[in-house]
Amino acid sequence: MEELGLADVEAFLAVARARGFRGAAAQAGVSASALSAALRRLESRLGVRLLNRTTRSVTLTEAGQRLLERLGPLIGEIGSALDSINAYRDSPTGTLRLNVPSIVARHILPSIASRFLKTHPGITLDVITDDAFVDVLAAGCDAGIRYEERVERDMIALPIGPRVQRFVAAASPAYLAERGHPTRPQELVDHACIRHRFPSGVVAAWEFERRGKTVRLRPEGPLLASTVEMEVEAAVAGLGIIHTFEEFLRPHLASGALLPILDDWCQRFTGPLLYYPSRSHMPAPLRAFVDFIKGDT
């Protein structure tokens, strides 16, 4: 059999884990056509089909599933062995891939990333923004950042960024002048509310807390969107009440374009966590980032 190329094997792993060429290409930083060519070479050398491809989906054949199960740990060991050489460098090098939600990518990680990369110029930070909960290893990432309730229990978790955050409800002065100021969360069912849909399709309920009492409701309104920018713009335009991370609304609250409501009911929660699998041979870029975060607190 013709000698297999490691790059083609890695291409197979990337496509198999992402369940598609486009997602794998985005994560690997190569073109989808390059991955497709690598898969054709690999299948040709093995003499067996590894993936079933249609215009809508990519699925593993039985042979592909067996290869994925056997190769995943082996490639991980090879990567760990090669990365161990980093211990002999004055400064670690390599790529650190993080999977983070949009709130973290926009308002928490930028300043942290800038300080980290200035400290470690040999490291490339590859940030994938994803509001869905994912298996970071299956997605080809070294670590992820999520909130406490979304972190798997077998992961090591480390606080990163603010220790406490808030969800804030707000509306434009024009909307409140026309519709009035709600004084209790229950009154929101009689108001126009701007809601958010997550990538999974789930429309989150609104939660409010005060003195140990929690109110959870699902208001209705004129806009249901999956982008915060559209939701905030709608609120500023007077279409309704928005309920989201305080960081998304802070500039508009400061300018007076939005006014907070139900402030004494604002829900506070623990800030985000950096999480990663427990393993003895941690990649050098990840180890450097973990040490940086611990020293940055």
Side-chain angles (χ1 to χ4, degrees), residues 176-288:
L176 295 174
E178 179 182 352
R179 300 289 297 272
H181 289 247
T183 58
R184 298 183 304 129
Q186 294 87 340
E187 296 174 15
L188 292 177
V189 297
D190 297 321
H191 280 264
C193 294
I194 298 165
R195 297 163 295 156
H196 181 76
R197 180 194 290 115
F198 288 100
S200 63
V202 172
V203 178
W206 290 15
E207 290 190 1
F208 298 86
E209 295 179 357
R210 187 177 68 172
R211 294 196 289 271
K213 179 181 179 181
T214 299
V215 176
R216 191 170 189 269
L217 46 86
R218 295 183 179 275
E220 298 294 330
L223 178 64
L224 176 61
S226 57
T227 59
V228 173
E229 290 83 359
M230 179 177 289
E231 296 156 26
V232 173
E233 183 64 30
V236 171
L239 291 180
I241 296 172
I242 190 171
H243 182 246
T244 188
F245 286 94
E246 184 176 18
E247 287 84 352
F248 286 139
L249 303 181
R250 188 169 289 143
H252 303 286
L253 293 171
S255 69
L258 291 176
L259 300 177
I261 61 173
L262 301 171
D263 200 51
D264 56 339
W265 282 92
C266 282
Q267 186 185 46
R268 296 178 179 270
F269 49 90
T270 304
L273 301 170
L274 170 71
Y275 71 99
Y276 51 94
S278 174
R279 54 188 177 191
S280 56
H281 300 294
M282 186 186 298
L286 176 58
R287 166 54 64 191

Side-chain angles (χ1 to χ4, degrees), residues 9-291:
V9 174
E10 291 178 331
F12 163 72
L13 288 173
V15 175
R17 287 166 171 168
R19 291 296 192 269
F21 286 89
R22 182 174 300 177
Q27 293 177 13
V30 299
S31 68
S33 60
L35 289 178
S36 182
L39 261 294
R40 287 196 298 271
R41 286 194 301 268
L42 183 60
E43 290 177 329
S44 176
R45 291 168 182 171
L46 294 175
V48 64
R49 180 176 289 276
L50 301 174
L51 300 172
N52 293 315
R53 308 167 179 84
T54 70
T55 55
R56 295 186 177 182
S57 66
V58 173
T59 59
L60 289 166
T61 64
E62 184 177 353
Q65 183 63 43
R66 172 64 67 87
L67 185 61
L68 176 63
E69 293 170 354
R70 296 293 299 274
L71 279 179
L74 294 176
I75 293 294
E77 286 300 316
I78 292 173
S80 295
L82 294 175
D83 193 71
S84 66
I85 303 302
N86 258 327
Y88 296 95
R89 298 178 181 272
D90 293 332
S91 178
T93 63
T95 298
L96 171 61
R97 292 184 175 88
L98 297 179
N99 188 291
V100 308
S102 57
I103 178 66
V104 171
R106 296 172 184 175
H107 292 281
I108 295 173
L109 190 57
S111 63
I112 295 173
S114 296
R115 295 195 305 274
F116 171 70
L117 293 174
K118 287 181 179 178
T119 304
H120 297 284
I123 293 178
T124 298
L125 187 59
D126 184 355
V127 179
I128 299 167
T129 302
D130 190 346
D131 284 319
F133 181 73
V134 297
D135 182 333
V136 291
L137 295 183
C141 297
D142 299 295
I145 299 178
R146 287 297 185 276
Y147 288 86
E148 187 172 10
E149 71 276 6
R150 306 297 300 275
V151 175
E152 296 289 347
R153 298 306 174 192
D154 60 347
M155 293 283 182
I156 298 175
L158 177 70
I160 182 171
R163 296 298 179 264
V164 177
Q165 289 180 265
R166 296 197 312 164
F167 262 85
V168 172
S172 71
Y175 175 88
L176 295 174
E178 179 182 352
R179 300 289 297 272
H181 289 247
T183 58
R184 298 183 304 129
Q186 294 87 340
E187 296 174 15
L188 292 177
V189 297
D190 297 321
H191 280 264
C193 294
I194 298 165
R195 297 163 295 156
H196 181 76
R197 180 194 290 115
F198 288 100
S200 63
V202 172
V203 178
W206 290 15
E207 290 190 1
F208 298 86
E209 295 179 357
R210 187 177 68 172
R211 294 196 289 271
K213 179 181 179 181
T214 299
V215 176
R216 191 170 189 269
L217 46 86
R218 295 183 179 275
E220 298 294 330
L223 178 64
L224 176 61
S226 57
T227 59
V228 173
E229 290 83 359
M230 179 177 289
E231 296 156 26
V232 173
E233 183 64 30
V236 171
L239 291 180
I241 296 172
I242 190 171
H243 182 246
T244 188
F245 286 94
E246 184 176 18
E247 287 84 352
F248 286 139
L249 303 181
R250 188 169 289 143
H252 303 286
L253 293 171
S255 69
L258 291 176
L259 300 177
I261 61 173
L262 301 171
D263 200 51
D264 56 339
W265 282 92
C266 282
Q267 186 185 46
R268 296 178 179 270
F269 49 90
T270 304
L273 301 170
L274 170 71
Y275 71 99
Y276 51 94
S278 174
R279 54 188 177 191
S280 56
H281 300 294
M282 186 186 298
L286 176 58
R287 166 54 64 191
F289 190 63
V290 169
D291 291 343

